[in-house]
Amino acid sequence: TQQMMMDQMMQHQQWMWRTYLLLCSAVVIRLLGGLAAVLHWDADWYYPLSVWTSWLAPLLAFEALSRYRGPIAQVGEGKTRST
């Protein structure tokens, strides 16, 4: 049962990271908008592309790293808990 709890905590932690990255999409879209202003990009296609990129790129990077390296953080790694 302790292993099941650890697995549930790992799943919860992964979903918390995904949620955090999606919340950060507002910052990413502002950075992309600033980049467009500095580079004088004023195309009709840029805004829809930047909106999709603002949440899709960080989430895809997270998923790729999770698959390549394993879970981002190990809950209770190297620690034992006495009951």
Side-chain angles (χ1 to χ4, degrees), residues 15-79:
W15 280 107
M16 290 298 293
W17 272 107
R18 289 179 186 106
T19 303
Y20 175 74
L21 288 172
L22 292 175
L23 287 172
C24 290
S25 67
V27 174
V28 174
I29 197 169
R30 298 309 187 280
L31 291 172
L32 291 173
L35 178 66
V38 167
L39 297 176
H40 302 290
W41 290 347
D42 192 24
D44 292 336
W45 56 266
Y46 186 76
Y47 181 72
L49 179 68
S50 66
V51 170
W52 278 94
T53 304
S54 70
W55 66 268
L56 193 57
L59 197 56
L60 286 175
F62 171 78
E63 294 297 331
L65 280 174
S66 292
R67 304 252 190 284
Y68 176 72
R69 295 177 54 197
I72 297 299
Q74 296 289 333
V75 175
E77 185 176 62
K79 298 178 184 175

